[in-house]
Amino acid sequence: MRLAALSIVLLLASCVGGDRNDRPAPIRERRTGPVTVTDPTPRETQQCFSDLSRESVRFSPLPDRDFGGGCVVTGAVQLLDIGVPVTNLKSMRCPLARTFIAWVRFAVAPAAKQMLGSEVVRVESFGTYSCRAIIGSPTSGNRISQHGLGNAVDIGGFVLADGRRIRVETGWKSEDPAVREFFRTIHKSACKRFRTTLGPDYNAAHYNHLHLDMGRGPFCA
């Protein structure tokens, strides 16, 4: 009887706790590739496409895709020409693209000309879409990053017409007050335009870029 009772206890223990995993499950895209979503294009997305066209932006609308693991990108575009080259851009949701373009044209470009005395000839990004969880936040758990929704872009720096390369990593606390002021100015402008703006002062994960997204917020750091 004692042996039988002990066996039952061990069996129950294995059912309750044997397969428990306190670490969050990794987020993975489907091995078979993304699935195209065929829902009708919302009116808001159509309006966003029209807004980009009206601003003389060259772009290609992209099909809605479900990549698996909670990573779904809808209403996205591939930016082809916004007036200045931008590196490493993948798909990004149209409202993010529209806000990003306005930030580059009406905040970054004039700030560079006024404070650094030269025009921006290239924007260097670390990319947009990436199917992953939020990085660097102890309270995020395994929540999907806005990058996994095509709703975020990371900016690492800028190249100027005079040949200078101004990077967040070295420029945020640069010995040159003009460079520091430039980054503070475009960061402040980003906080007014995007739902979330994160820079090197937020945490160590953002030491070398500005994270800009149109997700939850407003949050500026």
Side-chain angles (χ1 to χ4, degrees):
M1 290 294 293
R2 288 183 179 180
L3 181 59
L6 179 59
S7 298
I8 293 173
V9 170
L10 291 175
L11 177 62
L12 290 174
S14 66
C15 293
V16 173
D19 293 329
R20 183 177 176 181
N21 188 347
D22 292 329
R23 295 174 298 176
I27 295 173
R28 297 190 178 94
E29 298 186 36
R30 290 190 180 90
R31 292 184 179 180
T32 57
V35 174
T36 299
V37 180
T38 58
D39 294 337
T41 303
R43 182 176 299 177
E44 293 80 3
T45 301
Q46 296 176 10
Q47 180 61 54
C48 186
F49 293 162
S50 297
D51 292 343
L52 294 186
S53 297
R54 187 171 56 251
E55 294 299 325
S56 300
V57 174
R58 289 183 57 236
F59 69 97
S60 292
L62 298 176
D64 296 344
R65 296 288 181 87
D66 184 339
F67 293 88
C71 295
V72 181
V73 181
T74 61
V77 298
Q78 177 74 54
L79 293 180
L80 304 176
D81 185 1
I82 70 170
V84 59
V86 185
T87 64
N88 300 318
L89 287 186
K90 297 181 181 180
S91 63
M92 56 198 308
R93 297 195 69 241
C94 189
L96 171 67
R98 179 175 55 193
T99 303
F100 172 70
I101 292 165
W103 178 68
V104 170
R105 288 181 173 181
F106 304 120
V108 174
K113 193 170 184 178
Q114 294 170 13
M115 298 174 184
L116 303 177
S118 187
E119 295 184 352
V120 172
V121 296
R122 186 169 75 234
V123 179
E124 297 185 330
S125 91
F126 289 166
T128 50
Y129 171 77
S130 177
C131 188
R132 59 173 173 79
I134 296 172
I135 296 174
S137 174
T139 61
S140 63
N142 207 39
R143 285 192 290 118
I144 291 289
S145 166
Q146 289 296 315
H147 285 285
L149 305 177
N151 206 28
V153 59
D154 291 338
I155 302 301
F158 309 90
V159 176
L160 306 181
D162 62 11
R164 282 181 292 170
R165 185 170 176 238
I166 309 298
R167 295 185 297 149
V168 174
E169 181 176 356
T170 56
W172 190 259
K173 295 182 179 180
S174 172
E175 294 180 358
D176 186 338
V179 173
R180 291 199 309 271
E181 184 61 22
F182 166 75
F183 278 116
R184 295 305 186 275
T185 298
I186 65 171
H187 177 271
K188 183 177 180 180
S189 174
C191 288
K192 296 177 181 179
R193 297 173 183 273
F194 299 90
R195 296 296 294 169
T196 296
T197 297
L198 306 176
D201 289 342
Y202 178 58
N203 63 17
H206 296 82
Y207 76 99
N208 63 351
H209 68 276
L210 300 178
H211 168 95
L212 314 171
D213 77 50
M214 295 297 287
R216 299 177 181 180
F219 186 75
C220 172

